[in-house]
Amino acid sequence: MKYVVLAAVVIGLCTTLGSCRKKYACTCTTLDPQGTVLNTSTTDISSGSKSKAEEKCKQLDNVMTNRTTRCFIVD
């Protein structure tokens, strides 16, 4: 009987811990100096919270002399 209970606890923990991570979509848009869209891409970010996902997404921002890339989380 205790093996059945132990197995149920292990399965419950795996299910609980495995489902806590939500995927967020990070969309990045690259613009030239005139504001013309050069490229748009979307990347999935797995994170425990929306604020952590936004932080990871913002790290993809890039400003260069001939183009600017801005990234944001899509709800």
Side-chain angles (χ1 to χ4, degrees):
M1 180 66 182
K2 65 180 173 179
Y3 292 115
V4 173
V5 173
L6 179 63
V9 169
V10 169
I11 291 171
L13 282 174
C14 290
T15 303
T16 302
L17 296 176
S19 63
C20 290
R21 299 186 79 76
K22 182 176 178 184
K23 286 188 178 180
Y24 294 94
C26 177
T27 300
C28 297
T29 302
T30 303
L31 306 169
D32 68 8
Q34 291 78 29
T36 305
V37 176
L38 299 174
N39 186 25
T40 300
S41 63
T42 301
T43 305
D44 287 335
I45 297 177
S46 296
S47 182
S49 68
K50 186 173 182 179
S51 62
K52 287 183 181 179
E54 288 173 340
E55 185 179 312
K56 287 181 182 179
C57 186
K58 280 294 179 194
Q59 291 175 355
L60 299 174
D61 282 355
N62 189 4
V63 177
M64 299 173 70
T65 55
N66 60 348
R67 68 177 186 250
T68 302
T69 301
R70 294 290 179 214
C71 302
F72 56 94
I73 294 292
V74 179
D75 287 328

